[in-house]
Amino acid sequence: MSAQDNSAQQQAPDSALSRPQLEEIVRELEAAMEETRQWLALFHRALVCRLRPDPEVVTEDAHRMSRFGRWYSTNRDDDIFSQPAFAMLVGMHQGLYAHAAILAVRGWKDDGIPAGEYDALLHKIDSFNEQAGRMARAFRAALSDLDPLTGTNTRMTMERELMREQQRMRRSGRPCSIAIADIDRFKSVNDTYGHQAGDRVLARVTRIIEDTLRPYDSIYRFGGEEFLISLPDSGPEDARRVLDRVRKTISETPIQIDKGDPLSVTVSFGVAQLVPRRSLKDIMERADRALYEAKNNGRDQVVVWTAELV
């Protein structure tokens, strides 16, 4: 395996990145490849026609004047740029610009440039575009695991991560609880205000949940107006306390859905403890049964599954 392939494998898109951040990364990587193709055309025009090289090719620190270079310079302190694949990509970008500047000046002032030097430049450009393309595909794949409306992870990602959490529990013995959250009377929001208003409620409730949960908790779009929340290092009563804080914050935060009065929204929660040797399906059914009990008891509350709820 080449160093480039190995580095690309190390570039695992951070699950903490938001959908807008992932979209920006994909957009800038794809733009960098197109920009490199356009920049190479300027290089070839000057070389073939024996013209003074374009400033975009030979200006000192030309790579920093490019769109990719400006984007990197603006965001270089972000954690994502400390990952090996990005460090390699930036180094490749700087290297090909520096090499091209030397060859462009030699091609203009001298009779020509050695074929080996020219081939080496093309190899650098191809390597840059291949690396950028691999990374763009990786981040685009991460986007496919995000719900487009709420920006949360999807059910497919949820199942993978909950299985890993079960494995962690087997090793460490530390508890983990899950909860199914359901927006109360959500159908009436759609029926009264329209589906666009319903989408706004979903997105806003998601943001409140994310902002109120602990940093190491996770939320997933479970389906419709339901979400699944993973609460590591939490037994059922710990989870109840965390979720009761979330529930209270939602009920105290009116949501503006149009030019009229803001809408008050509540959420019900059903909690179950993750058990290493029990299937995820069974555990989610327990959480769903607890949620059903919360709905029957008047909504806007947290209910923990017990054997009596079977």
Side-chain angles (χ1 to χ4, degrees), residues 15 26 79 82 104 109 118 122 233 264 296:
S15 61
V26 171
D79 289 342
S82 66
K109 292 186 175 180
Y118 176 76
L122 294 186
D233 296 326
S264 294
N296 279 348

Side-chain angles (χ1 to χ4, degrees), residues 169-203:
M169 290 179 64
R170 291 191 187 102
R171 294 193 303 270
S172 68
R174 300 176 70 88
C176 178
S177 294
I178 67 167
I180 297 178
D182 184 270
I183 300 176
D184 296 327
R185 298 185 175 89
F186 184 73
K187 184 177 183 298
S188 67
V189 174
N190 281 332
D191 292 345
T192 304
Y193 301 98
H195 288 280
Q196 188 172 15
D199 288 349
R200 194 173 299 123
V201 169
L202 276 171

